[in-house]
Amino acid sequence: MDIHTIDSDLSVGPQITRADVAELAAAGYRSIICNRPDAEAADQPGHEEIAQEAAAHGLAFRFLPVTPGMVTDADAEGFADALRALPGPVFAYCRTGTRSTTLWSLAEAGRRPLPEILAKTRAAGYDMNGVARRIANGGKTPTDTGDAHYKVVVVGAGAGGIAVAASLKARKPDLEIALIDPAGIHYYQPGWTMVGGGIFEASETERTMGSLIPQGVKWIKAAVAAFEPQNNAVILDGCRVVKYDRLVVAPGLKLDWAGVEGLEETLGRNGVTSNYRYDLAPYTWELVQGLKQGRALFTQPPMPIKCAGAPQKAMYLSGDAWKRAGVLKDIDIQFMNAGGVLFGVKDYVPALMSYIEKYGTTLNFFHTLTRIDGPARTATFKVAKPDEAPTEVTTEFDMIHVCPPQTAPDFIKVSPLADAAGWVDVDQATLRHKTYDNIWSLGDVMNAPNAKTAAAARMQAPVVAENIVADIAGRSPTAQYDGYGSCPLTVERGKIVLAEFGYGGTLKPSFPRWLIDGTKPTRAAWLLKEKILPPVYWKAMLKGKEWMAKPTPLSASA
C-alpha cells in the first residue's frame, strides 16, 4: 500500500482496495476520505464498497469526489470542513493522491505559510507549485491578479540584489527594473564582526532601504511567496503577480536559529550571543568586556554558511580583548567546529594557527551544536568523527558565541528554481540558471561552489549584469565569475589575515605582496577592512561603480 504522510493529521495516496482498509485501521487511521468519483476506471472499487469496509473496521468515511483538473474553491472548503469534523488521523485518496494533496494545500492556505505547504507536499512526493497562486490567495481562485510587468525583476535587496540592479542601470539607464524586498532597513553585515569586537557601532552598519534603491528602479516592498518560471511570473504574498522578461534571484540565505534546540529562547541573555544578528553583536562586546574568567565557546555549524571565517573572527577579537585586559590566562577558549579543518584554504592556516596558540584556544573538530540550555549555561554537541560512532557531549559555558545553521530560504527550497539541496541551480561561470535561460542568481542563495561573502557578491553583480545586457542584445554570455571570495580574518585588533581565493581554493590576491601578503597578518589589511571597505560598499558597490570588480571575459572554452 502506498501511503504518503503530509503531517500527523493527514496522509494521502492512490486508489485503495477493501483489503487496504484493514491495513489503514491497523496503522492507526481513524477516518478515510475518498476524492475520486466512481467509475473513473473499470477496475476501480466504488466508494460505497470502501465505506462499508471502513464501517466494519470502525473508521469514519467521507465521499468528496473531485473531477480531475477541476478542483473548485467549494471542493477545498468541503475538504477543510471534513478534516475539522472527522477524527484523525485521516487518510485521503484519489487516483494518485494528487487531488487529495491539492485539496489539503488549498484548505491550509491562510493557516500555514505558502513555503511550508509546498515543502510538506513536496516531501510527500507531490508538487503543488501549479496551485501556488491559489494557495497565496487564501485557497481561492484569483479573479484579479493585478499583474505588473518589468523587463528585469530582481528578488532581494541585499548586497547582491542592489548591486546588480545598479550595475544594470549603469549599463542601460533606460532599462525597466523592479526590485522586490519587504525589508525597510539594509545592513552592512560584514561590519557586525567589528561591532562584536567593539570597533564599530551597530548604527554604522545600517541604512534605510529607500536611500539605497538605485535611481529609476521600482521598489516593490513585498515578500515573495513563489515562482512560476514557466509563466515568467513571481507571486507575492497576497497573490499579487509580477511578470518579467528576465529574473535575478538574490534573497540571501536563511539563518536557521530554530535548528538548535533551545537557542531562540536564550539568545541575547544567559551569555548566549551571535554576531550574525544586528541586535546581538553589541551583546557580544558586552559579554567580552564583562568576562574575567571562565569558559568561552565559539561554534561553527556545517557548511555552507555565509562568511565561513566569521565564527573564528569573533573568537580572535575576543581573545585579543582578553589579552589586552590581562585576563586571558583565566579564560578557557574553545572553538567547536562541525568541520574537520580550521579554514578551507590551507595557505591561510599557518597564520591562523599562530593565533590559536597565542590565545590558548582548544580546537574541537567535528562538533555540531544541537542544544543549548541558557539558564543552566550548558551546550550540547553531536560529535561525529570519521570512522567513529557518533557521540554527544555537553559542555558548560560562561559565554557562547553561536553561528547558527544556515539554509536556503524556504520559498527558494520549494521552488522549481532549486537544486536537490534547496539552492538556486546555476552555471558557476555565467551564473545563469541551468534550466531557465532568462533567470540568473547571485549571492548566498545560489549553488556555485564559492565562499558566501559580500566580496563574492561584489564580483558576481557585474557578471550577471553583463550577461543580462548581452542576452537582451541577443548575444551569448560574455562574462564569467571565477569563484572569487574574500574573508578578512580579524586575528587581533589592528591586524588581519586577508584571505582571497576562487574556485578550488586558488589564491586570488587583489594587491601585490609587498603591500598586502594575504597569508600573513598585516596592518594594511586591517585598514582596508576598517576604513576602506565600508565606503566602497555604500558608495561604489551599491551604486554600480565596479571598483576592482570588472567582469572577466568568458573564455572560448568556458
Side-chain angles (χ1 to χ4, degrees):
M1 187 178 177
D2 192 9
I3 297 176
H4 300 249
T5 300
I6 292 178
D7 64 11
S8 58
D9 296 321
L10 177 72
S11 295
V12 301
Q15 176 70 55
I16 60 174
T17 66
R18 293 182 68 125
D20 292 328
V21 174
E23 187 176 335
L24 289 169
Y29 290 93
R30 299 176 62 198
S31 301
I32 295 174
I33 298 176
C34 174
N35 296 128
R36 191 180 191 190
D38 287 339
E40 266 193 350
D43 59 349
Q44 170 192 341
H47 79 274
E48 291 185 351
E49 290 182 55
I50 303 299
Q52 290 172 2
E53 195 68 22
H57 287 84
L59 274 64
F61 183 87
R62 187 73 60 92
F63 183 47
L64 298 172
V66 174
T67 303
M70 298 279 289
V71 178
T72 67
D73 295 347
D75 292 332
E77 291 172 7
F79 193 81
D81 291 341
L83 288 181
R84 284 191 291 268
L86 293 171
V90 175
F91 178 82
Y93 72 92
C94 52
R95 186 181 70 83
T96 64
T98 299
R99 272 170 279 179
S100 300
T101 305
T102 302
L103 288 165
W104 177 85
S105 300
L106 298 175
E108 288 297 300
R111 283 188 284 272
R112 299 176 189 258
L114 172 56
E116 181 182 334
I117 293 172
L118 296 179
K120 283 183 172 292
T121 54
R122 174 189 259 190
Y126 299 94
D127 182 0
M128 291 292 110
N129 276 288
V131 290
R133 289 199 200 191
R134 292 179 66 184
I135 300 171
N137 196 44
K140 307 291 185 182
T141 303
T143 55
D144 178 14
T145 58
D147 289 351
H149 184 278
Y150 298 89
K151 295 295 184 181
V152 177
V153 168
V154 181
V155 173
I162 292 182
V164 79
S167 287
L168 280 167
K169 274 293 184 183
R171 286 166 171 78
K172 288 184 70 68
D174 60 343
L175 187 61
E176 188 183 30
I177 303 173
L179 191 55
I180 303 174
D181 198 300
I185 301 293
H186 180 102
Y187 296 104
Y188 176 56
Q189 295 181 30
W192 293 348
T193 287
M194 304 293 262
V195 175
I199 294 103
F200 288 175
E201 293 294 327
S203 58
E204 297 176 59
T205 68
E206 65 172 319
R207 299 280 191 281
T208 61
M209 189 70 81
S211 69
L212 299 174
I213 302 296
Q215 187 173 5
V217 172
K218 170 68 174 179
W219 177 26
I220 300 174
K221 196 174 187 293
V224 170
F227 297 92
E228 287 183 357
Q230 72 280 9
N231 296 320
N232 297 327
V234 176
I235 304 168
L236 308 182
D237 277 350
C239 205
R240 287 181 294 158
V241 176
V242 178
K243 304 203 78 173
Y244 57 82
D245 291 342
R246 290 165 184 84
L247 175 68
V248 181
V249 184
L253 51 67
K254 173 185 175 181
L255 300 177
D256 188 13
W257 302 101
V260 176
E261 182 184 341
L263 177 57
E264 289 182 300
E265 299 92 312
T266 194
L267 275 168
R269 53 200 178 95
N270 299 316
V272 182
T273 190
S274 178
N275 289 345
Y276 276 79
R277 229 171 68 179
Y278 171 83
D279 61 321
L280 294 176
Y283 183 53
T284 300
W285 182 233
E286 179 185 328
L287 290 173
V288 170
Q289 290 179 294
L291 190 63
K292 306 303 180 186
Q293 62 179 10
R295 178 177 292 148
L297 305 181
F298 296 83
T299 77
Q300 179 169 310
M303 295 296 176
I305 62 172
K306 63 167 66 185
C307 192
Q312 56 188 294
K313 291 181 194 181
M315 177 178 67
Y316 297 135
L317 284 180
S318 299
D320 179 68
W322 291 322
K323 188 176 188 301
R324 291 170 185 268
V327 298
L328 181 60
K329 65 183 187 311
D330 298 316
I331 297 178
D332 174 18
I333 304 175
Q334 299 207 20
F335 187 41
M336 322 297 283
N337 186 349
V341 295
L342 182 60
F343 195 72
V345 182
K346 68 180 188 320
D347 301 76
Y348 302 104
V349 172
L352 300 178
M353 281 302 301
S354 70
Y355 281 91
I356 293 295
E357 295 165 6
K358 178 178 180 178
Y359 301 133
T361 302
T362 301
L363 296 178
N364 300 286
F365 294 121
F366 306 110
H367 281 58
T368 301
L369 180 65
T370 58
R371 185 168 67 253
I372 284 187
D373 185 332
R377 299 212 175 200
T378 61
T380 300
F381 298 85
K382 177 185 176 183
V383 183
K385 297 180 179 179
D387 303 320
E388 295 183 18
T391 59
E392 187 176 270
V393 296
T394 298
T395 304
E396 295 179 343
F397 63 82
D398 295 280
M399 167 189 168
I400 182 170
H401 178 275
V402 176
C403 175
Q406 295 167 36
T407 68
D410 294 339
F411 72 96
I412 295 292
K413 286 192 287 189
V414 298
S415 77
L417 309 183
D419 66 6
W423 306 96
V424 179
D425 195 18
V426 300
D427 175 87
Q428 70 177 42
T430 64
L431 303 183
R432 193 178 207 166
H433 198 275
K434 290 181 180 176
T435 302
Y436 303 102
D437 285 346
N438 64 338
I439 297 177
W440 289 259
S441 183
L442 74 158
D444 295 345
V445 77
M446 55 84 169
N447 67 353
N450 63 284
K452 297 182 183 296
T453 68
R458 182 169 63 86
M459 301 297 283
Q460 294 160 6
V463 171
V464 171
E466 194 86 356
N467 287 338
I468 287 177
V469 169
D471 189 61
I472 292 172
R475 304 194 309 269
S476 298
T478 59
Q480 65 178 328
Y481 171 58
D482 61 7
Y484 176 86
S486 176
C487 188
L489 291 146
T490 50
V491 290
E492 64 176 282
R493 192 181 186 113
K495 286 189 178 180
I496 275 177
V497 172
L498 182 60
E500 296 181 282
F501 47 89
Y503 289 137
T506 304
L507 300 193
K508 291 195 169 292
S510 300
F511 306 93
R513 290 185 68 134
W514 62 264
L515 180 59
I516 297 179
D517 182 350
T519 64
K520 297 177 181 177
T522 64
R523 174 71 179 167
W526 177 273
L527 292 173
L528 181 73
K529 169 78 172 176
E530 182 185 20
K531 302 295 185 184
I532 299 174
L533 290 182
V536 165
Y537 182 85
W538 297 116
K539 298 178 181 180
M541 177 178 172
L542 301 189
K543 302 296 183 183
K545 298 172 183 175
E546 296 159 7
W547 181 70
M548 297 183 69
K550 296 298 181 185
T552 302
L554 186 64
S555 64
S557 60

